[in-house]
Amino acid sequence: MRIPFRSLVRLVLPSLIAACTPARAPRPVSTERPLVLPAATPLVIAHRGASGHRPEHTLEGYTLAVQMGADFIEPDLVSTKDGVLVARHENEIGATTDVATKFASRKTRKVIDGDTISGWFTEDFTLAELRTLRANERLPFRSHAYDGQFLIPTFDEVLALADSLGRTRGRAVGVYPETKHPTYLRSIGLPIEESMLRSLRARGLDRADAPVFIQSFESGNLRVLSKQTRIRLIQLVSTAPQVTPAALRDIATYAYGVGANTRQIVGGDSSAVPTTLIADAHAAGLRVHAWTLRPEPVFLGTRYGGDPIAEVQEMLRLGVDGLFGDYPDQVVRGLRR
Ligand code: G3P
Ligand code: CA
């Protein structure tokens, strides 16, 4: 029997494409319905929420990100004085809240991870005190229209929001927590990891197929976490020695993937040739999530000629498995195009 050529292509092509495509993350599932994503699309990770549009790490920013089509929302985690995890990019909150006007006298100076920093620190404030603050936009060249309006959310509130938004849209909203300053916070009796796992377990998310990735720039806490949870772990990398083939093989012993700076992927300046990071990571069995896509001239590589969509498309061409973006709408648009 002769099979028409077009039918043959339809039958065989999907298997060929699957065989030639690097191994991809199992698609996370919600507790109610499976998370359905186009097979060829990298995950869209809303970096600190839709942080190009709303002050970072606010429930409003996370919500907008999901409405824009993000697959995951990313809370960076630090601790309050009374041991509650809250979403802030760093424990110093002078640049992202109105703490300076409300608690002027509580300004102090500390050495954190080797850096001397002046400001106001979450570990010096109770949750009740932090609740009196409102979030501000960090960057001067972004809109400040929403300054002074939104609360600092707790990690539990972020999880509840993701669950609720997931049910509304009919597919899971992934959560991608990052432990910030984990060694320092443990050293002062406010460890992140146990509390983070407790919150995830309370929602039934301590599973290998949960729509959760835990990330850290430190490797010590990820190595410990790999023995405590089946949640997929992402090792953040930012230096060349961390991404040699041997280093990547070591990371693969405890992590599911790496979160790499886009510059490490494309090789740096405008004329640089892409590196072998993605191929090496995939060869080690690791996924690669790239950070951070931002369209403003101060961030966007000159190689893209001012077009942020071109960056999305280069990342897609190079085979990344996930993209962190401050403007999830742009990332979605770039992937669709
Ligand atoms: O977590 C990925 C990326 O967010 C790392 O950079 O400094 O924005 O947390 P940062
Ligand atoms: Ca982060």
Side-chain angles (χ1 to χ4, degrees):
M1 182 185 72
R2 278 185 59 132
I3 302 176
F5 178 71
R6 280 168 62 179
S7 304
L8 195 62
V9 167
R10 269 206 304 275
L11 282 171
V12 173
L13 197 57
S15 320
L16 273 177
I17 290 172
C20 298
T21 303
R24 295 185 48 84
R27 296 297 170 193
V29 294
S30 83
T31 50
E32 294 204 324
R33 300 185 201 182
L35 173 62
V36 178
L37 294 170
T41 301
L43 297 171
V44 177
I45 305 149
H47 182 245
R48 313 182 198 175
S51 57
H53 298 279
R54 296 290 185 276
E56 67 188 43
H57 293 313
T58 58
L59 294 182
E60 290 76 6
Y62 297 134
T63 301
L64 181 61
V66 171
Q67 289 165 349
M68 290 174 161
D71 300 306
F72 277 74
I73 53 177
E74 190 224 9
D76 295 316
L77 298 181
V78 292
S79 180
T80 67
K81 185 177 184 177
D82 41 352
V84 181
L85 296 183
V86 291
R88 289 289 94 191
H89 179 259
E90 56 271 305
N91 53 339
E92 200 287 305
I93 52 173
T96 60
T97 71
D98 53 7
V99 67
T101 57
K102 290 177 173 161
F103 292 95
S105 66
R106 303 268 290 271
K107 188 172 186 181
T108 186
R109 184 195 303 244
K110 302 188 185 201
V111 178
I112 312 255
D113 294 338
D115 297 320
T116 302
I117 302 169
S118 291
W120 294 261
F121 298 84
T122 57
E123 66 269 26
D124 297 335
F125 292 82
T126 63
L127 179 64
E129 288 175 324
L130 289 182
R131 285 304 205 190
T132 67
L133 304 181
R134 296 295 180 270
N136 286 338
E137 169 55 47
R138 175 195 297 272
L139 298 172
F141 48 82
R142 287 187 177 165
S143 169
H144 286 254
Y146 296 92
D147 283 8
Q149 297 186 33
F150 307 140
L151 295 170
I152 296 177
T154 66
F155 182 44
D156 285 330
E157 288 170 340
V158 177
L159 291 176
L161 177 74
D163 183 65
S164 155
L165 291 173
R167 289 172 198 277
T168 302
R169 79 175 180 180
R171 67 184 171 100
V173 170
V175 181
Y176 204 134
E178 179 182 347
T179 59
K180 285 292 189 189
H181 307 293
T183 297
Y184 164 73
L185 287 170
R186 183 171 292 278
S187 76
I188 59 169
L190 295 170
I192 296 175
E193 295 82 2
E194 291 81 351
S195 179
M196 177 180 66
L197 284 185
R198 262 197 308 278
S199 292
L200 291 163
R201 283 184 181 133
R203 292 191 167 272
L205 292 170
D206 188 356
R207 316 186 314 264
D209 65 348
V212 178
F213 295 110
I214 295 173
Q215 49 169 336
S216 179
F217 275 108
E218 296 190 14
S219 59
N221 69 336
L222 289 185
R223 287 179 195 273
V224 173
L225 279 165
S226 71
K227 296 181 171 49
Q228 298 173 331
T229 177
R230 298 197 306 146
I231 294 172
R232 291 168 292 178
L233 307 177
I234 302 292
Q235 177 68 64
L236 297 174
V237 292
S238 58
T239 65
Q242 290 177 299
V243 294
T244 64
L248 291 167
R249 284 194 295 275
D250 176 51
I251 290 171
T253 62
Y254 61 88
Y256 173 84
V258 290
N261 189 316
T262 54
R263 299 290 191 275
Q264 290 176 286
I265 293 170
V266 299
D269 64 26
S270 61
S271 59
V273 176
T275 69
T276 58
L277 189 155
I278 292 179
D280 293 343
H282 284 165
L286 294 163
R287 273 53 171 197
V288 180
H289 297 168
W291 48 270
T292 300
L293 276 67
R294 295 165 158 154
E296 291 95 349
V298 67
F299 299 123
L300 186 65
T302 52
R303 63 198 289 122
Y304 304 115
D307 177 10
I309 300 298
E311 183 177 33
V312 178
Q313 294 182 327
E314 179 170 45
M315 291 293 141
L316 183 60
R317 245 189 339 268
L318 293 175
V320 295
D321 304 293
L323 290 167
F324 285 86
D326 284 6
Y327 293 77
D329 49 336
Q330 282 184 2
V331 179
V332 168
R333 201 176 322 133
L335 295 179
R336 282 193 187 138
R337 195 193 292 175

